[in-house]
Amino acid sequence: MSLVRVTDLTVEFGGLTAVDGLSFELAPGAALALVGESGSGKSTVASALLGLHRGTGARVGGSVEVAGTDVQRASEDELRRLRGGKAAMVFQDPLSSLDPYYAVGDQIAEVYRVHTRASRRAARARAVEVLDRVGIPDAPRRARSRPHEFSGGMRQRALIAMALACEPDLLIADEPTTALDVTVQAQILDLLHTLRAETGMGLLLVTHDVGVAAESVGEVLVMRHGRVVEHGPVGAVLGSPTQAYTRELLDAVPRVDAPRAPSQPSEEIVLEATGLRREFGRGKRAFAAVDDVSLRVHRGETLGIVGESGSGKTTLGRMLVGLLEPTAGQVRYDGHARVGVNRAVQMVFQDPVSSLNPRRSVGESIADPLRARGERDEQRIRGRVTELLERVGLEGAHYDRYPHEFSGGQRQRVGIARALAADPRVIVCDEPVSALDVTTQAQVVALLAELQRELGLALVFVAHDLAVVRRVSDRVAVMRQGRIVESGPADEVYDNPQALYTKQLLAAVPALDPEVAARRRTARREPAAL
């Protein structure tokens, strides 16, 4: 008997068909990954398994059976028993899935009580038990903590604990590692693998990261435009894909073992930092997010800055741009000490949604640097913005559109156009592709490389994704706890790392070969805390 049986599933939103005639099965205890770009329909499929489209206006056709429940015909009571009881879902963003006002343990206990009618004492004990099971240290105490007191990895573990509370037959994980750095991602994937082995539950993993699929599942279903492109054992699909689209996805995946073609940076130093330190807090609570960091950036080169969340790399990037003043040390541009923000050093932010004003057209946002330097001729402003939009692969007619009318990759292109409007010599890119699927990621990286060649730009590329950093960087600096622990030419750092921390980072990068992934998983020893 199948744990999941989906037959000819269609999901339509208005005139848009998000899922078109999809069929697949998942056996008890098995693991299947739905892989595809943003907009492929994979998250829509995951929601359909729990009947989450009911009451939304979506038109759902076909048949969906999960753990013996006909989702399409089930009553509201039957759906409630299914959700959390027989099948549970872990979402991408734990902060939006957890109530900020209540302790994590209380939220898990409430889920358990709803499905089991257990006493409050028994439910609290169960919450502590599952938190301990997913590796939360000192679970009795941390169960009383609120979500903001957990790190990103710990919050994701807490969501997994909540999903496990009622011992479901099926766990649906929708992009569970997208926002996590490479070592925490490896820990979460190892945890899912261990839990499957211990409980015998089935796993449906939704991801745009092919490497994550290779680490986690036995079968892969590749989706595009709501349809199945390719489906089969993970080793066969990733090792010998039969469809052109699957090959394109794999070709777009950055490889940590692939050296970059050398660029032609000059000896001219355009940006230099000496002894940078940045403290936050006061008195005994003060801590140094960046501590005694020195670096140089040459004209036409890309300096990659890599490290885990909390390593200080974003704080460093903001000091280089002038958005934060250092507590100690100095930033020099063209040999002169920088005072405040210098328009020659611009920034592309990680999240274009929060860095673009939703109430202003993208054209007006791109025009801001032009007006800030004194341009008043509206015709000239519009003409320059039109040039910039076209330069980054958009259309001049997009001037009057708003951020919500663009995809994630298009919004990031808008952010790049806004940075270019100031005619910079240096662009600091803070995690510019971390939220994008692999093909869009490759397009944005290629655009930055093209702009660099044509304009002679220097780039500082801040990221936690080691494979992307190798693809783009001439030199790399590895940060940990506010300090640079290793730096040098990218090929030397990646092929012959000297610092133990660098070796640990590289060992945690997902492997596209499932056999290699299995060996790495066996070799890794999961830390007790994230």
Side-chain angles (χ1 to χ4, degrees):
M1 179 180 176
S2 295
L3 176 60
V4 176
R5 179 181 288 112
V6 175
T7 307
D8 199 27
L9 174 66
T10 61
V11 182
E12 297 178 354
F13 299 95
L16 173 66
T17 301
V19 180
D20 188 4
L22 187 75
S23 299
F24 67 88
E25 294 188 17
L26 178 66
L32 168 69
L34 302 183
V35 176
E37 299 171 280
S38 299
S40 62
K42 54 190 187 295
S43 291
T44 303
V45 174
S47 296
L49 296 186
L50 295 180
L52 297 179
H53 297 306
R54 187 173 291 189
T56 66
R59 293 169 53 188
V60 182
S63 172
V64 177
E65 294 183 14
V66 177
T69 299
D70 185 334
V71 176
Q72 295 290 79
R73 299 179 180 179
S75 66
E76 291 299 325
D77 285 341
E78 289 172 328
L79 279 182
R80 277 193 289 271
R81 286 194 293 271
L82 172 67
R83 298 167 183 163
K86 296 181 180 179
M89 194 163 184
V90 176
F91 294 92
Q92 176 176 346
D93 181 11
L95 268 183
S96 63
S97 303
L98 293 168
D99 192 315
Y101 292 101
Y102 294 96
V104 169
D106 289 344
Q107 296 183 57
I108 297 173
E110 181 63 22
V111 170
Y112 186 67
R113 289 190 70 213
V114 165
H115 287 280
T116 65
R117 306 295 181 185
S119 66
R120 292 184 182 276
R121 176 177 293 182
R124 284 196 294 268
R126 178 59 175 166
V128 171
E129 179 185 349
V130 291
L131 284 170
D132 181 69
R133 190 175 192 177
V134 299
I136 297 293
D138 193 7
R141 180 178 66 85
R142 296 314 300 266
R144 298 191 293 272
S145 300
R146 287 171 172 77
H148 74 273
E149 298 177 276
F150 279 22
S151 68
M154 287 177 66
R155 284 193 291 264
Q156 199 61 281
R157 286 177 183 262
L159 275 189
I160 294 172
M162 185 180 294
L164 292 175
C166 298
E167 300 183 345
D169 299 318
L170 172 67
L171 180 66
I172 303 169
D174 188 1
E175 300 279 11
T177 63
T178 295
L180 305 179
D181 57 54
V182 63
T183 51
V184 179
Q185 173 179 266
Q187 292 168 19
I188 294 298
L189 295 178
D190 288 351
L191 171 62
L192 290 174
H193 186 271
T194 300
L195 291 172
R196 279 186 54 231
E198 291 177 352
T199 66
M201 69 179 180
L203 172 67
L204 182 76
L205 176 69
V206 176
T207 181
H208 67 255
D209 191 325
V210 182
V212 167
E215 290 267 345
S216 312
V217 300
E219 290 189 31
V220 172
L221 190 155
V222 181
M223 293 186 66
R224 187 185 193 191
H225 302 323
R227 296 184 176 183
V228 177
V229 174
E230 191 161 358
H231 182 193
V234 61
V237 172
L238 301 187
S240 302
T242 61
Q243 301 300 312
Y245 176 68
T246 309
R247 291 193 292 271
E248 290 172 9
L249 275 182
L250 289 169
D251 289 342
V253 176
R255 310 294 177 104
V256 76
D257 57 353
R260 181 198 189 204
S263 60
Q264 299 295 325
S266 73
E267 294 299 316
E268 177 189 357
I269 297 173
V270 291
L271 191 66
E272 183 176 13
T274 306
L276 285 187
R277 179 181 176 87
R278 175 67 194 201
E279 295 179 357
F280 292 97
R282 294 181 179 180
K284 295 181 179 180
R285 295 188 176 184
F287 73 97
V290 173
D291 187 11
D292 194 24
V293 168
S294 299
L295 55 84
R296 293 177 174 180
V297 184
H298 297 84
R299 183 175 183 270
E301 82 162 341
T302 300
L303 172 66
I305 299 178
V306 69
E308 296 175 283
S309 299
S311 62
K313 56 188 188 297
T314 292
T315 301
L316 173 60
R318 289 175 179 262
M319 283 194 289
L320 295 178
V321 174
L323 296 177
L324 285 175
E325 287 300 318
T327 305
Q330 189 179 70
V331 177
R332 301 175 69 84
Y333 170 74
D334 263 355
H336 303 287
R338 191 215 66 226
V339 178
V341 176
N342 187 324
R343 68 180 180 86
V345 185
Q346 293 293 308
M347 194 165 202
V348 175
F349 296 91
Q350 174 177 358
D351 182 9
V353 173
S354 61
S355 62
L356 293 171
N357 190 329
R359 297 185 178 184
R360 302 179 70 210
S361 72
V362 298
E364 289 299 300
S365 291
I366 295 171
D368 282 344
L370 302 175
R371 295 194 174 100
R373 69 187 194 201
E375 181 62 67
R376 293 293 179 264
D377 188 322
E378 289 301 318
Q379 187 173 350
R380 291 179 61 181
I381 289 174
R382 193 174 186 98
R384 177 57 176 153
V385 171
T386 297
E387 290 176 7
L388 290 168
L389 284 168
E390 293 173 349
R391 185 64 199 80
V392 298
L394 300 173
E395 298 177 14
H398 289 161
Y399 186 107
D400 296 311
R401 291 190 180 183
Y402 289 83
H404 72 272
E405 298 179 83
F406 293 87
S407 68
Q410 287 175 323
R411 283 193 291 262
Q412 200 56 285
R413 289 173 184 265
V414 171
I416 294 170
R418 183 174 58 182
L420 292 176
D423 293 326
R425 297 186 65 195
V426 182
I427 295 181
V428 178
C429 303
D430 183 16
E431 299 277 11
V433 297
S434 64
L436 306 178
D437 56 56
V438 289
T439 49
T440 307
Q441 193 177 87
Q443 292 166 7
V444 172
V445 166
L447 171 62
L448 288 169
E450 181 183 342
L451 293 170
Q452 182 179 42
R453 288 192 301 269
E454 292 187 5
L455 304 176
L457 295 170
L459 298 178
V460 179
F461 198 96
V462 177
H464 66 254
D465 189 324
L466 278 80
V468 172
V469 170
R470 179 159 196 176
R471 172 178 281 188
V472 303
S473 302
D474 300 295
R475 291 185 300 118
V476 172
V478 181
M479 290 192 69
R480 185 187 190 192
Q481 296 177 348
R483 290 177 173 265
I484 292 177
V485 298
E486 185 165 2
S487 65
D491 290 349
E492 290 184 13
V493 171
Y494 278 78
D495 295 337
N496 188 29
Q498 299 301 304
L500 175 61
Y501 177 67
T502 308
K503 295 176 183 178
Q504 292 172 341
L505 286 180
L506 291 170
V509 175
L512 287 177
D513 184 334
E515 294 184 2
V516 173
R519 289 198 297 270
R520 287 186 178 181
R521 185 168 54 244
T522 301
R524 282 196 298 258
R525 296 181 63 184
E526 184 181 17
L530 297 182

